[in-house]
Amino acid sequence: MTYNPFVEMLRSRAGGEITGIPSICSSHPLVIEAALLEGKANKTPVLIEATCNQVNQDGGYTGMTPQDFRQYVEQIAAKVGFDLHQLFLGGDHLGPNPWKDLPANDAMAKAEILISRYVDAGFVKIHLDASMPCADDATPLSDTTIAARSARLAAVAESAVSGQKPVYIIGTEVPIPGGAMEAIDTLEVTSPAAAMATYEAHRQAFAKLGLDDAFSRVIGLVVQPGVEFGNENVVYYDPAAATELSATLTQIPGIVFEAHSTDYQPLSALSSLVKDGFAILKVGPGVTFAMREAFYGLDHIACFLEQLPTSESLPHKLEQLMLAKPKHWEKYYHGDETAQRLQRHFSYSDRIRYYWPTDDATAAVENLLDRLSKYELPEPLVSQYLPTVYPLFAAAKQKPDARDLIIEMVRSVIRTYEIACRRIEP
């Protein structure tokens, strides 16, 4: 029988064990490498997810189809010696969203191709999300319409399966994926009634299409547990506010909640989320934010060692790139020039992550690493500019190179999720 970490997680939770699964939502090769190295060290399965806008039949903003993405991740796995039997791919927000400016019938036709390509490429965790209104839809969409469209996509997925049958996630979350666009203080936790209405609407829609077997593989429901991040602040999980929502799980055995936008939550909050039934924890900007911190810390070290002017720094080069090509941030960052400059580099929504794969940014990072490879990095500078990871290398009496430090910065974030999910000891 094929190993399925989602089924194992549900079985363990049914037996009273508190456990969960981290979901790594990034296409950056260093993040994927860090996730796989952490999984290899811990002997735990790794779940990596792609979104509908990031990877689709038209290439998405990464230029990759689902099959391309699988091959890309597997190449990184081969490089680090990660067991492919422990690698699981998921598709996030799969539905008409990339084509929502089209009429619903046209957008759904594109979404059907999207779903079939993901399943055909061997993605085994499929988030069905038809919540976005299309060009000719009345808004907001009803639960019935959303569920009917999701069931329609599930039917396509089931017909495309040639190997392991996928598990499904239903529902969506508010605010928008990727973080809120302004400062936020509190969030409205999904009500138990709304969660049950979403579940029941999907159950009926699946049954109407004869998809009872597929619905038996619905393992998760996306809800808002009251966690989110804006550009400059984080709303932290409050277990008391989610008590009634958490209790809803007793009415739907075999289901856990999936929590989006858990980035930047402390270990105590992540652990409480898992304990309260939010057992699939998604993280995206949080890992690339840590990677950017490593890049900038290393750049400070290089600039000090080589006595370089600010105009030669990595942040300056990225600033020029983002100003020349503002499409990834200009609709999301607000305020005066000082505020926007701060957000371009340091926002929690981390929209700078869209620029790292570009030729200019890649060349700038490679140049930085090449220059630093000529030095044995001075410990006091590593302590000054990368204090999060310096103690680990100091304790191991290991002299890290620049790449080691980047990988460890990302792994330290992922390790927090592993601990929260009770997959490794703190």
Side-chain angles (χ1 to χ4, degrees), residues 22-172:
S23 168
I24 311 303
C25 305
S26 176
S27 61
H28 196 284
L30 288 174
V31 170
I32 293 173
E33 180 177 343
L36 295 173
L37 285 170
E38 185 66 18
K40 180 181 178 181
N42 300 332
K43 297 182 172 58
T44 52
V46 173
L47 169 62
I48 295 173
E49 300 213 42
T51 68
C52 59
N53 290 316
Q54 183 184 52
V55 173
N56 58 47
Q57 66 266 34
D58 300 326
Y61 66 74
T62 63
M64 286 188 279
T65 65
Q67 187 63 45
D68 293 335
F69 187 78
R70 168 168 281 285
Q71 293 173 352
Y72 167 71
V73 175
E74 288 184 348
Q75 287 171 356
I76 299 172
K79 172 186 169 185
V80 304
F82 187 81
D83 182 0
L84 292 182
H85 293 97
Q86 291 283 87
L87 172 63
F88 298 88
L89 299 182
D92 198 22
H93 294 288
L94 300 189
N97 187 54
W99 309 282
K100 62 181 180 292
D101 292 335
L102 299 175
N105 283 339
D106 296 337
M108 282 297 294
K110 297 278 280 185
E112 289 181 342
I113 297 172
L114 172 76
I115 289 283
S116 66
R117 296 286 174 82
Y118 266 83
V119 174
D120 186 60
F123 285 64
V124 295
K125 177 179 176 289
I126 301 295
H127 174 206
L128 301 167
D129 184 3
S131 63
M132 304 297 180
C134 298
D136 57 351
D137 281 326
T139 58
L141 294 180
S142 67
D143 281 344
T144 301
T145 298
I146 293 170
R149 291 179 181 178
S150 294
R152 174 179 165 183
L153 295 176
V156 172
E158 291 295 290
S159 66
V161 174
S162 59
Q164 183 177 353
K165 291 183 177 181
V167 297
Y168 296 105
I169 307 295
I170 57 175
T172 190

Side-chain angles (χ1 to χ4, degrees), residues 5 27 30 57 59-60 67 108 131 134 136 149 181 185 191 198 205 221 231 262 266 270 327 337 365 370 402 416 419:
S27 61
L30 288 174
Q57 66 266 34
Q67 187 63 45
M108 282 297 294
S131 63
C134 298
D136 57 351
R149 291 179 181 178
M181 291 190 288
D185 297 316
S191 70
T198 296
L221 177 63
N231 286 323
T262 68
L270 294 173
K327 70 174 184 177
E337 282 301 310
V365 171
D370 286 344
T416 301
I419 294 169

